[in-house]
């Protein structure tokens, strides 16, 4: 639901739901669950939309790391997470980092 709110143009509301989801998932799922990785990445995407780049970077990297370990580098969810990192760095005006993650996402 949080991702739907974000994509519908309300990242503030989406962030609230995704933060709560990650908190609950951390309490109930293993730390290496791909579901936790996917939701962590989605939360980071909301923070990117809100311009909270430092927080977004931490969450997006954690989400990508979990997805990479759980699903591998070629899974669409891992590639989506890499794409969100590229988007973060583009918005943050860090072109070298953005280029790196665009290349990772283009596998």
């Amino acid at each position: 639901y949080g991702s739907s709110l974000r994509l519908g143009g309300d990242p503030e509301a989406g962030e609230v739901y995704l933060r709560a989801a990650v908190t609950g998932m951390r309490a109930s799922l293993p730390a290496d669950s791909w579901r936790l990785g996917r939701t962590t990445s989605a939360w980071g995407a909301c923070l990117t939309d809100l311009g909270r780049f430092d927080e977004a970077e931490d969450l997006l990297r954690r989400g990508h790391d979990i997805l990479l370990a759980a699903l591998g580098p070629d899974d669409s969810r891992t590639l989506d997470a890499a794409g969100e990192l590229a988007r973060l760095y583009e918005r943050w005006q860090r072109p070298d980092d953005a280029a790196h993650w665009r290349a990772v996402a283009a596998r």
Side-chain angles (χ1 to χ4, degrees), residues 13-94:
E15 191 272 335
V16 171
Y17 281 95
L18 288 163
R19 180 175 7 104
V22 168
T23 299
M25 291 172 115
R26 284 179 180 159
S28 63
L29 292 175
D32 61 353
S33 166
W34 72 264
R35 289 177 179 87
L36 176 59
R38 178 91 169 177
T39 307
T40 300
S41 185
W43 182 16
C46 275
L47 294 175
T48 296
D49 291 350
L50 295 170
R52 293 165 53 185
F53 301 138
D54 287 326
E55 294 170 89
E57 180 181 38
D58 180 55
L59 291 169
L60 289 169
R61 284 185 174 265
R62 275 195 273 161
H64 181 267
D65 288 349
I66 293 168
L67 290 165
L68 182 62
L71 302 173
D74 297 321
D75 187 88
S76 64
R77 292 159 288 198
T78 306
L79 297 172
D80 288 346
E84 286 298 340
L85 278 157
R87 191 174 70 84
L88 162 70
Y89 292 124
E90 287 165 0
R91 295 235 8 237
W92 205 354
Q93 298 181 4
R94 291 174 51 180

